[in-house]
Amino acid sequence: MKKLSLPILLALVIFACDEPENFKLTNAEVFAYLIDGGWEINATCIAEGFGQEKSDGVFIARLSYTVDLITPDNKKLEYIDEGLVDKSSEEEIEYLQVESQFQIDSTFAEGKYKIVMNVQDDNTQKSATIEKDFTISRD
């Protein structure tokens, strides 16, 4: 059995400590507000376990996201919204809130919808998805 040198063993331990935990999305919420001519949809979720770059003592996290909408008749509208969450901090970033806001017009029927939030950690290329049902109703 071959022994590892102290510098190699130390590098392996440091690398293992810097490896992010499992990238995941939690706490999805969706709200629909009646506005003139349609609906405003606000969706959020929390991202955890993403990778962070460290440059000059600053932690940098970048998450890209797309949002799909599934209608009551099971039609999937892909990329109804997209964006980037880009945050830097002098302290390690524990979580990020991913927020989406978009409008749909009055041709969308009342009923049960689903939001699908697709998020990619731009630092590690890992991705995660979360879904949340919600209802559009004038009541």
Side-chain angles (χ1 to χ4, degrees), residues 34-50:
L34 183 61
I35 59 171
D36 289 339
W39 299 90
E40 179 177 289
I41 311 298
N42 294 297
T44 66
C45 69
I46 301 296
E48 301 173 288
F50 44 84

Side-chain angles (χ1 to χ4, degrees), residues 53-123:
E53 293 178 1
K54 190 172 181 184
S55 177
D56 296 324
V58 176
F59 291 91
I60 302 166
R62 289 183 191 89
L63 305 176
S64 299
Y65 67 88
T66 62
V67 178
D68 302 332
L69 180 67
I70 300 174
T71 64
D73 59 355
N74 212 29
K75 182 178 176 186
K76 186 174 186 179
L77 305 173
E78 294 182 317
Y79 305 106
I80 198 155
D81 191 27
E82 60 186 319
L84 174 68
V85 178
D86 190 357
K87 182 169 182 173
S88 58
S89 174
E90 292 181 2
E91 297 180 11
E92 194 167 357
I93 305 164
E94 292 183 35
Y95 68 90
L96 288 172
Q97 185 166 354
V98 180
E99 300 176 337
S100 172
Q101 182 179 15
F102 59 92
Q103 294 181 3
I104 56 177
D105 63 34
S106 60
T107 62
F108 284 79
E110 292 184 35
K112 187 175 177 181
Y113 287 78
K114 182 181 291 189
I115 284 284
V116 181
M117 298 182 81
N118 309 292
V119 182
Q120 178 175 309
D121 177 350
D122 293 347
N123 289 325

